[in-house]
Amino acid sequence: MNRLSLTLSRGVDQVTGVALGPYQSAVIRIGFAGTWLLFLLREFPHRHELYGPTGPWGWNLAKQLTADNQAFTVLLWSHGRLWFELCYVLAVLASAALVLGWRTRTASLLFMVGVLSLQNRSVFVGDGGDNVLHLMSIYLVFTRCGQVWSLDARRAAHAATARARGERVPADLAGPALWAVLGLALVIAMGTGRFDNGWQIPVLLWTAWAGLGLWWAVERWTARQGPRLLLDVIANVLHNGALAVIMAEACLIYATAGWYKVQGSRWQDGTAVYYPLHLDYFSPWPGLADLMSSSGTIMMIVTYGTVAVQVAFPFTLFNRRVKNALLVVMMAEHTVIAVVLGLPFFSLAMIAADAVFLPTSFLRRLGDLAGRARGRLARSPGRAVPAPRPTEESTADHVGFTA
């Protein structure tokens, strides 16, 4: 009984005392935000046809659909072209801010609003990767994904170093100013009745806004550690729960895809992969597709291998070596899909989802390599500029309005 109590106590301490997976949460933050940013930039010349008020999926049709399914989108708050352009640019800026880890908590909220607004505006635009981004943009709001590999972590580390030296740290003005602007926007939206399609997203936005203000107030005006520790515990529990949900979601995607494939006759006879290679829409490189499909043996191996990997992956999480090997196979498969079938953003979204299972040791080595490469690029002829190295102990989440 004592052993069980000790185990439970350790488990509770781990879940509440620390935000687990700082590198994994950082890499999925960069992966999903980077995927959406690249998509928005690539489709910038075609943004009006995809999501604009004059696109094929008209404003009135979108308004009727969102009234039925209560989907959230700010693009339907106004029919004007200027409003659409502003929302699109803000979605780009929010994605860039989240990639860089600048004001990560606020950026994650704006990133979610941008993803939901654009995707819910035209629900028939997408290739499967948009569904993954749709879900993950919501889950990222609950994570402390700015602990490492972010401008927030860098700023927090510099502030901690300055305090250790007895230097005065300048007051943070950008955070409260951004908080005030967002609060004003929420008040205006609420006062004008814009939140008329469901209550979930408005409640989430208001709760997050109030939480950011409370965090800043506790940091600035409360000398006792009790309130701060309570906020840390709440944030850690939300982060760890969201990270577990992201992992479960990735497993569910692969498991359902694999088991549905098992039931298909083309997957059973080993020819399913052949047909997409000969569709004009999925053949950016016809010669490469013809080369791959010229061998029936290769088609059968790829078809059966795809099903086997997708069905088996959730069960391999109990064996680290097998799991890592399958991660390499799946990421390679998505890379091939991106090139051969012309689905780069679908593949990037799935690779970002896979990255949550990457081992910490690999991610730290990857971060060290990137840091050394950045240091070499930043080195001046007469003097070397060392690149800061993120660590597990980065305290970006311990500064209000940052992580």
Side-chain angles (χ1 to χ4, degrees):
M1 192 66 180
N2 291 335
R3 182 178 301 177
L4 178 60
S5 300
L6 183 60
T7 302
L8 290 175
S9 177
R10 288 176 178 174
V12 171
D13 288 342
Q14 191 172 25
V15 171
T16 61
V18 65
L20 302 173
Y23 289 92
Q24 286 78 4
S25 58
V27 76
I28 62 175
R29 181 200 86 225
I30 296 170
F32 288 121
T35 299
W36 185 241
L37 176 62
L38 291 175
F39 175 79
L40 294 179
L41 293 178
R42 192 196 73 168
E43 300 298 342
F44 190 81
H46 314 291
R47 63 192 184 280
H48 298 123
E49 291 79 7
L50 292 176
Y51 305 112
T54 59
W57 185 248
W59 193 86
N60 291 327
L61 290 173
K63 194 72 174 177
Q64 294 176 21
L65 181 60
T66 56
D68 291 336
N69 60 18
Q70 295 189 336
F72 172 82
T73 172
V74 301
L75 289 180
L76 297 180
W77 289 1
S78 173
H79 198 287
R81 181 170 178 174
L82 179 61
W83 174 249
F84 166 75
E85 299 289 359
L86 177 63
C87 292
Y88 198 95
V89 171
L90 287 178
V92 171
L93 295 178
S95 302
L98 193 57
V99 169
L100 297 175
W102 183 81
R103 309 290 169 178
T104 314
R105 291 188 179 180
T106 303
S108 65
L109 286 169
L110 296 177
F111 174 73
M112 177 194 70
V113 170
V115 171
L116 297 183
S117 296
L118 289 169
Q119 290 188 354
N120 289 335
R121 169 61 180 83
S122 299
V123 294
F124 300 108
V125 175
D127 52 18
D130 57 309
N131 295 326
V132 179
L133 274 170
H134 195 102
L135 294 171
M136 296 303 177
S137 67
I138 300 175
Y139 300 152
L140 280 175
V141 172
F142 298 94
T143 63
R144 308 180 80 169
C145 54
Q147 297 178 94
V148 297
W149 298 347
S150 67
L151 295 179
D152 291 341
R154 183 177 182 179
R155 184 174 62 253
H158 289 171
T161 302
R163 292 191 188 96
R165 295 174 178 173
E167 300 174 0
R168 181 178 177 274
V169 179
D172 179 23
L173 299 178
L178 184 60
W179 179 81
V181 171
L182 293 179
L184 179 61
L186 287 174
V187 169
I188 294 175
M190 185 67 71
T192 55
R194 301 300 184 184
F195 293 131
D196 56 353
N197 284 349
W199 55 269
Q200 295 89 344
I201 298 300
V203 168
L204 176 58
L205 293 175
W206 276 112
T207 303
W209 180 81
L212 290 175
L214 178 62
W215 200 292
W216 180 82
V218 168
E219 283 284 341
R220 186 171 180 85
W221 292 316
T222 303
R224 293 182 301 171
Q225 291 295 318
R228 173 54 196 277
L229 291 176
L230 177 61
L231 292 178
D232 264 333
V233 168
I234 295 173
N236 289 337
V237 171
L238 290 175
H239 167 90
N240 295 330
L243 205 60
V245 170
I246 291 173
M247 297 171 72
E249 188 71 43
C251 291
L252 185 63
I253 290 172
Y254 283 117
T256 53
W259 285 109
Y260 274 113
K261 286 181 175 68
V262 168
Q263 303 174 46
S265 59
R266 293 293 176 262
W267 291 96
Q268 292 174 8
D269 61 26
T271 62
V273 175
Y274 175 87
Y275 297 100
L277 293 175
H278 292 82
L279 294 175
D280 292 338
Y281 185 76
F282 295 109
S283 298
W285 312 100
L288 182 59
D290 292 339
L291 179 63
M292 291 185 60
S293 60
S294 61
S295 171
T297 303
I298 293 178
M299 289 293 95
M300 184 180 65
I301 292 174
V302 173
T303 301
Y304 289 153
T306 299
V307 176
V309 167
Q310 291 181 346
V311 171
F313 178 72
F315 302 100
T316 65
L317 299 182
F318 301 101
N319 187 300
R320 183 176 59 184
R321 292 182 178 179
V322 178
K323 181 261 295 181
N324 292 340
L326 278 189
L327 277 177
V328 174
V329 173
M330 290 192 300
M331 289 183 175
E333 179 185 15
H334 288 305
T335 303
V336 173
I337 290 173
V339 175
V340 178
L341 297 182
L343 297 172
F345 300 108
F346 165 79
S347 297
L348 284 174
M350 292 308 303
I351 290 174
D354 295 340
V356 73
F357 299 104
L358 290 174
T360 301
S361 58
F362 169 77
L363 292 175
R364 295 187 69 170
R365 287 196 295 270
L366 187 64
D368 290 340
L369 288 174
R372 287 196 290 269
R374 184 179 61 181
R376 285 194 292 268
L377 290 175
R379 189 173 296 124
S380 62
R383 139 180 100 84
V385 179
R389 297 174 58 188
T391 65
E392 295 270 1
E393 292 77 19
S394 295
T395 55
D397 271 328
H398 296 177
V399 180
F401 303 99
T402 58

